[in-house]
Amino acid sequence: MKRLFLTVVAALALTATFAKDEKANNVNNANAYDMTVNMSKLGDALKLTVDQMESVADVHKTFCGEMLIASQANDEDRKELMNKAITKDLRYMHYLLNDKQYRTYVMLLNTTLNNRGLNM
């Protein structure tokens, strides 16, 4: 009886440990997909006009939402949703920004994705 009790306790302890690690991984995963940035610093880096700043903020807000949706998807769909979000963001930014601003934005986005381990 004592052995059975100790076996059950050990099994529960292992299950709790794995669940805790899985929850920590999910939190880290969600944090990696959180693409919020300081818009005034982005505006300074890209030398945005007031009109561009407002439009870029709207597009980026949509991009952040799509990336958070991708973070919650299963492994099979996550990559596809992330690629769609990035492609859509780049298409809209290319429309809003001039060539020099766009090149800088692409560099910043690639660096951010690489630093967070979300390489395409």
Side-chain angles (χ1 to χ4, degrees):
M1 185 71 167
K2 199 175 196 181
R3 284 185 189 166
L4 178 64
F5 178 73
L6 290 176
T7 304
V8 170
V9 169
L12 290 175
L14 285 174
T15 304
T17 302
F18 288 131
K20 183 176 118 183
D21 290 343
E22 184 177 322
K23 185 175 181 181
N25 287 339
N26 288 341
V27 168
N28 290 337
N29 188 29
N31 289 338
Y33 285 84
D34 181 13
M35 302 305 268
T36 55
V37 296
N38 184 329
M39 287 308 295
S40 64
K41 290 191 183 228
L42 181 64
D44 290 343
L46 298 177
K47 297 177 179 66
L48 297 176
T49 65
V50 175
D51 293 335
Q52 283 179 317
M53 182 72 110
E54 189 174 316
S55 298
V56 166
D58 289 339
V59 170
H60 190 71
K61 187 175 183 180
T62 302
F63 175 63
C64 290
E66 291 174 352
M67 288 297 284
L68 285 176
I69 290 170
S71 74
Q72 297 169 359
N74 60 29
D75 290 337
E76 299 165 358
D77 297 333
R78 183 177 298 134
K79 188 78 166 172
E80 181 182 345
L81 288 172
M82 187 179 79
N83 287 338
K84 283 182 180 181
I86 292 169
T87 302
K88 185 177 174 183
D89 181 61
L90 290 174
R91 185 176 41 229
Y92 288 155
M93 290 299 186
H94 194 263
Y95 178 75
L96 295 172
L97 305 173
N98 65 36
D99 288 337
K100 185 176 181 182
Q101 291 170 324
Y102 181 72
R103 280 193 305 273
T104 304
Y105 180 76
V106 170
M107 180 194 64
L108 291 171
L109 182 61
N110 282 332
T111 302
T112 302
L113 293 172
N114 286 334
N115 288 343
R116 294 180 184 199
L118 303 175
N119 311 43
M120 293 186 7

